[in-house]
Amino acid sequence: MSNNKKKKFYGINDELWGHKWGYKDSSFIINDDNSVTFTGNRYEGISGERLPYLIPFVTKVLDTEIKKEPYFKEVKKKFVSKQKINQGFIEEIESVFDKDKLSISDDERVLHSHGQNSPDEVFKVLYDKLEKFADLVIYVETEKDVIDLIEIAKKHNVCLIPFGGGTNVTNALQLPENEDRMIVSVDTRRLNKIISVDTKNLLIEVEAGITGKHLEEQLQEKGYTVGHQPDSIELSTLGGWISTNAAGMKKNKYGNIEDIVQNVVMVTPSGTINQVEPLVRSSIGIKTQNLLFGSEGNIGIITKATLKIHKLPECSDYESVVLRDWDTGLDFMYELAHSSSVPASARMLDSLHYQFGSALKPEKNKLGKFKSKIQKLAFKIKDFDTENFVAAVFKLEGSYSEVEYQRNNIKKLAKKYNGLLGGSKEGKVGYNITMVIAYIREFFVPQGILGETLETAVPWSKVNQVKDEANKLLTELHKKYNLPGKPFFCSRISKIYHTGICMYNTMGINLRGIKNPEKVFSDIEHKIRECFIKNGGSISHHHGVGKLRKDFMSETISQGSMDLIENIKQIFNTLMKSRPPSVKGQFLEKISISSSMGPGVKVNTNSIG
């Protein structure tokens, strides 16, 4: 959104749900006949459609009755604590910043005090209450705004928390309980302009508050793309991608964020960090900009970045393959990852995950029912067990010859592993359903069912160990806590690498009648993540650390590494104290920059430093 002429952006607006995920025109609603409709027209193939299979599926897998009347009823008047005011800071801010850059409304304060973690943040704000709140929201519009804000915050000892898309799921934006200073949330979404496009060197310089959706819309009008496509692309920001070291669905072709970004500008307590110019590649000693990837708001506020761009692909298509079982699918994906032609995106869903996706499909017409019969016949011929098969979906991009080569490679491997080709249409549905599934939480939670996605990076040799042990543990914990119904746990391979995969796991639990349901769920989630690490998985593939996963850092990196990270945070203060006041670029001595600038991923303020 332009900063001129057009209406200024605020987090509370007519388009976004705010506390819930996504857009107000899109949600799952239960009809009188116990079918479900997904509202709006935003998502092709599902928006506005009647979905008769969802409730029967949920009822079966969770052994739980789904009712139109919600079990949890949303709190209409959201609790918010009294504002803490630093009068000197307020007076100086009001003298420097236009009034429309500042907000102290209760709604804005609540919105900017949480991310999108289900039990610890969203559940509390909708059905209970948060404990800690931002005291003021400031919408920065220029890099100078950021520099001025930091200078004033230093002078008056105020805590700043960067805020981007607010989509993080790691409790990054959960405010520190022991913070007794005035807390200011710094919303970057007006810092959203494309500064320049270099079509010769294929580079774009862009401000950090732009969302992926708006970046791609503007760039594709010019015939180019960045190619970074996280599941949260509609809402997450460039600054959040960098600060959480984000990954995208099409990383096989375009790379993850660390492969795409050529230069980052971050305003920190001791000055601005950046290269003078973006470099093709360099060996220049310790490269300070590398420290910014995954910094998760702990060091400073990202204001802009230079990214690689690509001409829009000549051809873009989809493909899909059904395979006998998980182990066969895993062998298929392993060979694909090490082949000479890997598609832009390659994902594989276990049988339960595939059934979940199928439950979100619209009611079948006569043609659909006929195709279903054909599919069942094909399954019979292939001797597939309908409870064990897996489905892989692919996004193919490049020249016509490259796409054809990618498709032929998939066909060859499908034949080798006795797979069944599903075709382009099924591949497209499977690929695009990801953004719709994000809305399913708001369907489940009012029913008393809490859920979350848990991603991890796993070596090829330990995929089954991580998956099976986590599933086994969830069953044991469900019994231990004496929870109703049955637990839900499904997995998918989200990304493939030379040495391993990114594995997404979706967990759902019925918590009706359970005291402190959000705490019980969080305890179970914590134990499942602990199980991932114990069996060879990582703390995170792309969601970051945050407060949610900070306890696992000592099992992930050495004490020396942790000391280095803490020293990096502290060094700004040390440098400032040792420099004379006249040093150019001096900003801050003691300001605390914490949390994340958020894309579906992000961070922690006091977790390590």
Side-chain angles (χ1 to χ4, degrees), residues 151-199:
E151 288 178 332
I152 298 169
K154 167 210 168 179
K155 180 178 178 181
H156 296 282
N157 193 26
V158 165
C159 175
L160 303 182
I161 305 229
F163 191 103
T167 60
N168 74 83
V169 293
T170 64
N171 293 348
L173 296 171
Q174 189 181 77
L175 305 182
E177 292 180 12
N178 60 352
E179 181 56 71
D180 58 4
R181 295 173 295 171
M182 182 179 181
I183 298 174
V184 176
S185 178
V186 187
D187 195 306
T188 62
R189 283 174 287 186
R190 293 186 193 173
L191 195 65
N192 61 4
K193 295 188 293 294
I194 291 177
I195 299 168
S196 64
V197 179
D198 181 345
T199 57

Side-chain angles (χ1 to χ4, degrees), residues 352-491:
L352 192 57
H353 201 300
Y354 176 83
Q355 292 173 52
F356 183 24
S358 295
L360 295 173
K361 291 182 179 179
E363 186 172 23
K364 296 171 184 173
N365 55 25
K366 289 183 179 180
L367 178 60
K369 289 177 181 178
F370 174 73
K371 287 182 177 179
S372 182
K373 288 181 179 179
I374 295 296
Q375 183 187 57
K376 287 178 181 177
L377 177 61
F379 274 32
K380 188 174 181 179
I381 294 171
K382 289 283 186 180
D383 194 27
F384 286 177
D385 183 340
T386 54
E387 295 298 316
N388 290 322
F389 76 90
V390 298
V393 294
F394 310 97
K395 183 70 185 289
L396 318 176
E397 285 195 355
S399 65
Y400 286 107
S401 60
E402 286 174 327
V403 167
E404 189 61 24
Y405 189 63
Q406 291 168 27
R407 194 187 306 279
N408 286 337
N409 187 37
I410 292 169
K411 288 180 178 179
K412 180 183 72 174
L413 291 175
K415 184 177 180 179
K416 177 177 178 179
Y417 289 97
N418 195 34
L420 179 66
L421 285 171
S424 175
K425 185 176 180 180
E426 286 297 315
K428 182 177 182 180
V429 171
Y431 184 83
N432 291 333
I433 199 75
T434 303
M435 287 189 285
V436 174
I437 284 181
Y439 289 87
I440 200 71
R441 179 185 64 194
E442 272 63 54
F443 169 79
F444 280 129
V445 176
Q447 294 291 328
I449 300 165
L450 292 186
E452 191 58 271
T453 56
L454 301 87
E455 45 78 59
T456 182
V458 189
W460 286 106
S461 62
K462 296 184 177 180
V463 172
N464 281 339
Q465 183 177 339
V466 170
K467 181 179 187 294
D468 294 343
E469 289 301 315
N471 203 344
K472 177 183 173 183
L473 178 60
L474 178 58
T475 301
E476 292 172 356
L477 292 171
H478 190 273
K479 184 177 181 180
K480 175 184 175 182
Y481 284 93
N482 195 27
L483 302 179
K486 297 185 294 189
F488 176 84
F489 187 89
C490 65
S491 304

Side-chain angles (χ1 to χ4, degrees), residues 75-138:
V75 176
K76 292 182 179 180
K77 178 64 177 175
K78 307 294 186 285
F79 170 77
V80 59
S81 63
K82 185 178 179 181
Q83 201 182 6
K84 180 174 287 188
I85 295 295
N86 182 316
Q87 194 59 43
F89 174 80
I90 289 291
E91 289 174 0
E92 189 162 355
I93 281 292
E94 288 180 342
S95 71
V96 173
F97 285 79
D98 293 338
K99 188 176 181 180
D100 63 7
K101 293 180 181 178
L102 313 176
S103 178
I104 58 170
S105 76
D106 286 351
D107 287 345
E108 287 275 343
R109 289 179 59 211
V110 175
L111 177 66
H112 287 82
S113 300
H114 69 86
Q116 285 293 318
N117 176 268
S118 294
D120 296 331
E121 295 179 313
V122 178
F123 181 88
K124 284 185 176 180
V125 75
L126 292 179
Y127 304 103
D128 191 3
K129 65 178 183 180
L130 294 175
E131 289 83 27
K132 191 88 172 179
F133 299 88
D135 300 300
L136 172 68
V137 180
I138 295 184

Side-chain angles (χ1 to χ4, degrees), residues 198-250:
D198 181 345
T199 57
K200 176 65 175 178
N201 296 310
L202 295 175
L203 296 171
I204 182 173
E205 187 177 19
V206 61
E207 292 179 332
I210 195 167
T211 62
K213 179 176 183 286
H214 290 148
L215 173 61
E216 282 296 316
E217 284 176 349
Q218 294 178 61
L219 201 50
Q220 288 182 23
E221 286 178 359
K222 303 176 185 293
Y224 294 90
T225 181
V226 168
H228 186 66
Q229 191 176 2
D231 293 351
S232 61
I233 187 170
E234 297 172 296
L235 308 169
S236 57
T237 63
L238 170 60
W241 297 347
I242 296 168
S243 68
T244 57
N245 210 27
M249 290 192 283
K250 299 190 290 186

